[in-house]
Each structure stands twice: as structure tokens, then as C-alpha cells.
Amino acid sequence: MPAPSTTILCIGGVDSSGGAGLHADDRVLTRVGASKHAVVTVVTTQTYYGAPQIYPQAPAQIEEQIRTLMDTYAISVVKIGMLYNVPTAKAVFETLDIYRHRDLKIIIDPILISTSEYSLRSDDLMEYLYTVFPTSTLITPNLTEARMLIRSGVEIDTTNIEGICREMSLNFRTSVYLKGGHLSDECTQLFDILTVYDVKNRSTYSIPLSHPRLDLPHVRGTGCTLASLLAFYITSNTIEQSAKMAHQHMQMLLEDTANHWDKHTAVISVHTS
């Protein structure tokens, strides 16, 4: 029987430099005191400066990791990061489907491309993601990933970001937290958009979450950190409440990172609680 504590399961890749992926998940969830476990889907060889080499794990191994943890612990939230290819993604989602009766909250951070614009997916992964997005509670693309997912070359800016977020929510039949950190450098005020999807009525409503642009160099692991914060807060709150709390917490971390910037690690600070 599962242990009685509430636990977050993080499924994703290992970044050999420690900047992103499961390392970032572990840093922030340890800081907030969350009970968590990890399943490794992909091992990467990378640094802040170079292109990643990607080594997907065997699907059977991924399935065994998930089954072992789900059968042992009272996991209520699953945060999914890098999948890279369809066999890996199928191993994850088909195994999680066995535990559908648990009413799991699933957050998908669709890792498709690195900030340095290196591809982190196989060519057919997006087609498969379209089929599993409706099984999720929330997806958390950034602006580049959003353009890829909607198959549009349109630049996302302050005039259309809310409409694009709503379009994704309706098309993918799930709630969407669209990260706006990559808006034009001319914007002094940035904002993320949360669009909440009502499954019963197939309707949506959106909430802008604004924050000032910080004078901060490129930092790795921000998307993973935000998605992990969402996973933490959603264990006991609504999607809207979780988004507001995670957004506020993320701004505190970014401000702390700006004050303690380390160019050698380029990793987001988690000193602020």
C-alpha cells in the first residue's frame, strides 16, 4: 500500500552540468520542503556553453521506475519535463494511465528546444504530445515552444499573447500557463498568462500575471523551476491559486538570482523561500 504522505513525482531529464531538468526540480522542491521522487527519461551531456548530447533511457526501464514509485508512495502530482522521443513519451503516459483512478494532477513542461536553440525532441514528438495534452491538468510552454506547438511563425507579443494562450487551451483541451519571459527586450513589464480550461463546459478564462523585467543574464533551469513550483502549490490549491503563488515565488527567486549572479553556473538561485 502507498505511504500516507503527499508526494510529487518528477519525470524528466538529467542535465550533466546540473543547471536544468531533475536537478533544478530537486533544488527548488527541497527548498520548499516537498516530498518528491524522480524518474529519469533522458541523460544529457551538456554544459552552459555547448550543444547537448542526448541519451534516452530504455522505455522498459522508465516504466519500471514509474511503477515502483507509484506502487509505493502516495503520489498525487506528476511533473513531466524532457521526453525527447515518442517511445519515451509512450512509456511515461501509458504507465501513468494505469493509475488514472488516483485522479493525478499532471503538469507537462513541454521541453522542445533549449534557450540556445538546440533541438531537444525527435521530429515526431509533438504529434504524440497533442494526443496526451488533454490528459494533463496544466501545460507550461514558453513563447518559443508555444509557437512550435501552434505551428505558427507569428511573433508573440503583448498584443496577442493572451489570445494565443487561449487558442492553445481550447485546442489542447487543458489549462495553459504561458511563460512570457522571452517577450521583446523593449518590454519593461513582462507577464505570463494563465488560461484555465473548464472541461465540463469546454470554456476558458485567462489571468495575466505581470512582473518587471529584471536585469538578469541568461539563467538555466527557470522553466523547470516554475513548473516544479506549480506542482508543489497545486497539491492543495486550485490551478488559479497555484499559478499566482508559483508566479510570486518565482519572482522572488529571480530577484535573489540577480543579487547573487554566478556566471560560472548560470543557475537560478533558490536561497529565497
Side-chain angles (χ1 to χ4, degrees), residues 180-213:
H182 294 160
L183 285 169
S184 168
D185 290 343
E186 298 176 359
C187 300
T188 57
Q189 192 75 9
L190 302 177
F191 55 89
D192 302 341
I193 297 290
L194 171 71
T195 297
V196 179
Y197 182 74
D198 184 328
V199 177
K200 184 178 294 186
N201 298 315
R202 296 189 178 181
S203 61
T204 66
Y205 66 91
S206 297
I207 302 165
L209 301 164
S210 64
H211 51 275
R213 180 186 291 277

Short mmCIF file of all heavy atoms in Angstrom, two decimals, residues 180-213:
data_model
loop_
_atom_site.label_atom_id
_atom_site.label_comp_id
_atom_site.label_asym_id
_atom_site.label_seq_id
_atom_site.Cartn_x
_atom_site.Cartn_y
_atom_site.Cartn_z
N GLY A 180 6.00 34.24 -20.26
CA GLY A 180 6.27 35.39 -21.11
C GLY A 180 7.64 35.99 -20.96
O GLY A 180 7.88 37.13 -21.38
N GLY A 181 8.56 35.28 -20.37
CA GLY A 181 9.89 35.82 -20.11
C GLY A 181 10.68 36.16 -21.35
O GLY A 181 11.67 36.90 -21.29
N HIS A 182 10.26 35.64 -22.53
CA HIS A 182 11.00 35.90 -23.76
C HIS A 182 10.34 36.98 -24.61
O HIS A 182 10.62 37.08 -25.80
CB HIS A 182 11.13 34.61 -24.59
CG HIS A 182 11.97 33.57 -23.92
ND1 HIS A 182 11.89 32.24 -24.25
CD2 HIS A 182 12.88 33.65 -22.93
CE1 HIS A 182 12.73 31.54 -23.50
NE2 HIS A 182 13.34 32.38 -22.69
N LEU A 183 9.47 37.79 -24.00
CA LEU A 183 8.89 38.90 -24.74
C LEU A 183 9.99 39.89 -25.16
O LEU A 183 11.09 39.88 -24.60
CB LEU A 183 7.84 39.61 -23.88
CG LEU A 183 6.51 38.88 -23.70
CD1 LEU A 183 5.67 39.54 -22.62
CD2 LEU A 183 5.73 38.83 -25.01
N SER A 184 9.68 40.74 -26.09
CA SER A 184 10.65 41.67 -26.65
C SER A 184 11.44 42.41 -25.58
O SER A 184 10.92 42.77 -24.52
CB SER A 184 9.93 42.70 -27.53
OG SER A 184 10.79 43.77 -27.86
N ASP A 185 12.72 42.65 -25.86
CA ASP A 185 13.58 43.38 -24.94
C ASP A 185 13.09 44.80 -24.69
O ASP A 185 13.51 45.45 -23.74
CB ASP A 185 15.02 43.43 -25.48
CG ASP A 185 15.69 42.07 -25.44
OD1 ASP A 185 15.19 41.18 -24.73
OD2 ASP A 185 16.71 41.89 -26.14
N GLU A 186 12.21 45.28 -25.55
CA GLU A 186 11.68 46.63 -25.37
C GLU A 186 10.65 46.69 -24.25
O GLU A 186 10.30 47.77 -23.78
CB GLU A 186 11.04 47.11 -26.68
CG GLU A 186 12.04 47.21 -27.84
CD GLU A 186 11.36 47.60 -29.13
OE1 GLU A 186 10.12 47.77 -29.12
OE2 GLU A 186 12.06 47.74 -30.15
N CYS A 187 10.14 45.54 -23.83
CA CYS A 187 9.13 45.49 -22.78
C CYS A 187 9.79 45.62 -21.40
O CYS A 187 10.63 44.79 -21.05
CB CYS A 187 8.33 44.19 -22.84
SG CYS A 187 7.45 43.93 -24.38
N THR A 188 9.42 46.64 -20.65
CA THR A 188 9.94 46.78 -19.29
C THR A 188 9.08 46.00 -18.30
O THR A 188 9.54 45.62 -17.23
CB THR A 188 9.98 48.26 -18.87
OG1 THR A 188 8.66 48.82 -18.99
CG2 THR A 188 10.94 49.04 -19.76
N GLN A 189 7.82 45.76 -18.66
CA GLN A 189 6.91 44.98 -17.84
C GLN A 189 6.56 43.71 -18.59
O GLN A 189 6.03 43.75 -19.70
CB GLN A 189 5.64 45.77 -17.52
CG GLN A 189 4.76 45.16 -16.44
CD GLN A 189 5.31 45.33 -15.04
OE1 GLN A 189 6.28 46.05 -14.85
NE2 GLN A 189 4.72 44.69 -14.06
N LEU A 190 6.89 42.58 -18.01
CA LEU A 190 6.59 41.29 -18.62
C LEU A 190 5.38 40.67 -17.94
O LEU A 190 5.02 41.05 -16.83
CB LEU A 190 7.79 40.36 -18.48
CG LEU A 190 9.11 40.85 -19.09
CD1 LEU A 190 10.21 39.83 -18.81
CD2 LEU A 190 8.98 41.08 -20.58
N PHE A 191 4.78 39.71 -18.61
CA PHE A 191 3.73 38.97 -17.92
C PHE A 191 3.56 37.58 -18.51
O PHE A 191 3.77 37.36 -19.70
CB PHE A 191 2.40 39.72 -17.90
CG PHE A 191 1.87 40.15 -19.23
CD1 PHE A 191 1.05 39.33 -19.97
CD2 PHE A 191 2.20 41.40 -19.74
CE1 PHE A 191 0.55 39.74 -21.19
CE2 PHE A 191 1.71 41.81 -20.96
CZ PHE A 191 0.88 40.99 -21.69
N ASP A 192 3.23 36.65 -17.62
CA ASP A 192 2.82 35.31 -18.00
C ASP A 192 1.30 35.34 -18.13
O ASP A 192 0.62 36.22 -17.58
CB ASP A 192 3.22 34.29 -16.94
CG ASP A 192 4.72 34.28 -16.68
OD1 ASP A 192 5.48 34.76 -17.54
OD2 ASP A 192 5.13 33.78 -15.61
N ILE A 193 0.76 34.36 -18.82
CA ILE A 193 -0.69 34.23 -18.95
C ILE A 193 -1.11 32.84 -18.50
O ILE A 193 -0.53 31.84 -18.93
CB ILE A 193 -1.15 34.44 -20.41
CG1 ILE A 193 -0.85 35.86 -20.90
CG2 ILE A 193 -2.65 34.15 -20.55
CD1 ILE A 193 -1.69 36.94 -20.26
N LEU A 194 -2.08 32.80 -17.61
CA LEU A 194 -2.71 31.53 -17.25
C LEU A 194 -4.08 31.49 -17.90
O LEU A 194 -4.90 32.40 -17.70
CB LEU A 194 -2.87 31.41 -15.74
CG LEU A 194 -3.72 30.22 -15.28
CD1 LEU A 194 -2.99 28.91 -15.51
CD2 LEU A 194 -4.14 30.36 -13.82
N THR A 195 -4.35 30.46 -18.68
CA THR A 195 -5.69 30.22 -19.20
C THR A 195 -6.20 28.92 -18.59
O THR A 195 -5.59 27.86 -18.77
CB THR A 195 -5.70 30.12 -20.74
OG1 THR A 195 -5.30 31.36 -21.30
CG2 THR A 195 -7.11 29.79 -21.24
N VAL A 196 -7.28 29.02 -17.84
CA VAL A 196 -7.86 27.86 -17.17
C VAL A 196 -8.95 27.27 -18.06
O VAL A 196 -9.84 27.98 -18.54
CB VAL A 196 -8.47 28.27 -15.81
CG1 VAL A 196 -9.10 27.05 -15.12
CG2 VAL A 196 -7.40 28.88 -14.91
N TYR A 197 -8.85 25.97 -18.28
CA TYR A 197 -9.79 25.26 -19.15
C TYR A 197 -10.84 24.55 -18.32
O TYR A 197 -10.52 23.77 -17.43
CB TYR A 197 -9.04 24.26 -20.03
CG TYR A 197 -9.92 23.51 -21.00
CD1 TYR A 197 -10.41 24.14 -22.14
CD2 TYR A 197 -10.25 22.16 -20.79
CE1 TYR A 197 -11.21 23.46 -23.05
CE2 TYR A 197 -11.05 21.48 -21.69
CZ TYR A 197 -11.53 22.13 -22.82
OH TYR A 197 -12.33 21.46 -23.72
N ASP A 198 -12.09 24.82 -18.62
CA ASP A 198 -13.22 24.16 -17.97
C ASP A 198 -13.61 22.95 -18.81
O ASP A 198 -14.19 23.10 -19.88
CB ASP A 198 -14.39 25.14 -17.83
CG ASP A 198 -15.57 24.56 -17.06
OD1 ASP A 198 -15.79 23.33 -17.14
OD2 ASP A 198 -16.28 25.33 -16.39
N VAL A 199 -13.28 21.76 -18.33
CA VAL A 199 -13.51 20.54 -19.11
C VAL A 199 -14.99 20.33 -19.37
O VAL A 199 -15.40 19.98 -20.49
CB VAL A 199 -12.91 19.31 -18.38
CG1 VAL A 199 -13.22 18.03 -19.14
CG2 VAL A 199 -11.41 19.48 -18.20
N LYS A 200 -15.81 20.57 -18.36
CA LYS A 200 -17.25 20.29 -18.48
C LYS A 200 -17.89 21.19 -19.53
O LYS A 200 -18.69 20.73 -20.36
CB LYS A 200 -17.93 20.49 -17.13
CG LYS A 200 -19.41 20.13 -17.13
CD LYS A 200 -20.02 20.30 -15.75
CE LYS A 200 -19.42 19.32 -14.75
NZ LYS A 200 -20.11 19.39 -13.43
N ASN A 201 -17.58 22.48 -19.50
CA ASN A 201 -18.23 23.43 -20.41
C ASN A 201 -17.39 23.74 -21.65
O ASN A 201 -17.85 24.48 -22.52
CB ASN A 201 -18.52 24.74 -19.66
CG ASN A 201 -19.47 24.53 -18.50
OD1 ASN A 201 -20.49 23.85 -18.65
ND2 ASN A 201 -19.15 25.10 -17.35
N ARG A 202 -16.17 23.20 -21.69
CA ARG A 202 -15.25 23.48 -22.80
C ARG A 202 -15.09 24.98 -23.02
O ARG A 202 -15.16 25.49 -24.14
CB ARG A 202 -15.71 22.78 -24.08
CG ARG A 202 -15.70 21.27 -23.97
CD ARG A 202 -15.95 20.59 -25.29
NE ARG A 202 -15.89 19.14 -25.17
CZ ARG A 202 -16.05 18.29 -26.17
NH1 ARG A 202 -16.29 18.75 -27.39
NH2 ARG A 202 -15.97 16.99 -25.97
N SER A 203 -14.91 25.68 -21.93
CA SER A 203 -14.72 27.13 -21.97
C SER A 203 -13.44 27.50 -21.22
O SER A 203 -12.86 26.66 -20.52
CB SER A 203 -15.92 27.84 -21.34
OG SER A 203 -16.05 27.47 -19.97
N THR A 204 -13.00 28.74 -21.37
CA THR A 204 -11.77 29.17 -20.73
C THR A 204 -11.93 30.56 -20.11
O THR A 204 -12.83 31.32 -20.47
CB THR A 204 -10.61 29.24 -21.74
OG1 THR A 204 -10.88 30.27 -22.69
CG2 THR A 204 -10.40 27.93 -22.46
N TYR A 205 -11.05 30.88 -19.19
CA TYR A 205 -10.86 32.26 -18.77
C TYR A 205 -9.37 32.45 -18.50
O TYR A 205 -8.66 31.51 -18.16
CB TYR A 205 -11.70 32.61 -17.53
CG TYR A 205 -11.33 31.90 -16.26
CD1 TYR A 205 -10.40 32.45 -15.37
CD2 TYR A 205 -11.91 30.67 -15.93
CE1 TYR A 205 -10.07 31.80 -14.19
CE2 TYR A 205 -11.58 30.03 -14.76
CZ TYR A 205 -10.67 30.60 -13.89
OH TYR A 205 -10.33 29.95 -12.72
N SER A 206 -8.89 33.68 -18.67
CA SER A 206 -7.46 33.95 -18.60
C SER A 206 -7.13 34.98 -17.52
O SER A 206 -7.94 35.86 -17.21
CB SER A 206 -6.94 34.47 -19.95
OG SER A 206 -7.08 33.48 -20.95
N ILE A 207 -5.94 34.84 -16.97
CA ILE A 207 -5.44 35.73 -15.93
C ILE A 207 -4.01 36.15 -16.28
O ILE A 207 -3.14 35.28 -16.43
CB ILE A 207 -5.43 35.04 -14.56
CG1 ILE A 207 -6.83 34.55 -14.19
CG2 ILE A 207 -4.88 35.95 -13.47
CD1 ILE A 207 -6.83 33.57 -13.05
N PRO A 208 -3.75 37.45 -16.43
CA PRO A 208 -2.37 37.90 -16.64
C PRO A 208 -1.63 37.98 -15.31
O PRO A 208 -2.20 38.38 -14.29
CB PRO A 208 -2.54 39.28 -17.27
CG PRO A 208 -3.86 39.77 -16.76
CD PRO A 208 -4.72 38.55 -16.53
N LEU A 209 -0.38 37.58 -15.30
CA LEU A 209 0.47 37.63 -14.10
C LEU A 209 1.70 38.45 -14.46
O LEU A 209 2.62 37.97 -15.11
CB LEU A 209 0.85 36.21 -13.68
CG LEU A 209 -0.32 35.27 -13.36
CD1 LEU A 209 0.12 33.83 -13.35
CD2 LEU A 209 -0.95 35.65 -12.04
N SER A 210 1.70 39.71 -14.04
CA SER A 210 2.74 40.64 -14.50
C SER A 210 3.91 40.72 -13.53
O SER A 210 3.78 40.44 -12.34
CB SER A 210 2.14 42.03 -14.71
OG SER A 210 1.68 42.57 -13.49
N HIS A 211 5.05 41.12 -14.08
CA HIS A 211 6.26 41.30 -13.28
C HIS A 211 7.23 42.19 -14.05
O HIS A 211 7.24 42.18 -15.29
CB HIS A 211 6.92 39.96 -12.96
CG HIS A 211 7.14 39.08 -14.14
ND1 HIS A 211 6.16 38.23 -14.63
CD2 HIS A 211 8.21 38.92 -14.96
CE1 HIS A 211 6.63 37.58 -15.69
NE2 HIS A 211 7.87 37.98 -15.91
N PRO A 212 8.04 42.98 -13.36
CA PRO A 212 9.01 43.84 -14.05
C PRO A 212 10.14 43.02 -14.66
O PRO A 212 10.50 41.97 -14.13
CB PRO A 212 9.52 44.76 -12.94
CG PRO A 212 9.31 43.98 -11.68
CD PRO A 212 8.07 43.16 -11.90
N ARG A 213 10.68 43.49 -15.77
CA ARG A 213 11.83 42.83 -16.36
C ARG A 213 13.05 43.08 -15.47
O ARG A 213 13.31 44.22 -15.06
CB ARG A 213 12.11 43.36 -17.76
CG ARG A 213 13.32 42.70 -18.43
CD ARG A 213 13.67 43.35 -19.76
NE ARG A 213 12.65 43.08 -20.76
CZ ARG A 213 12.59 41.98 -21.48
NH1 ARG A 213 13.47 41.00 -21.30
NH2 ARG A 213 11.65 41.81 -22.39
#
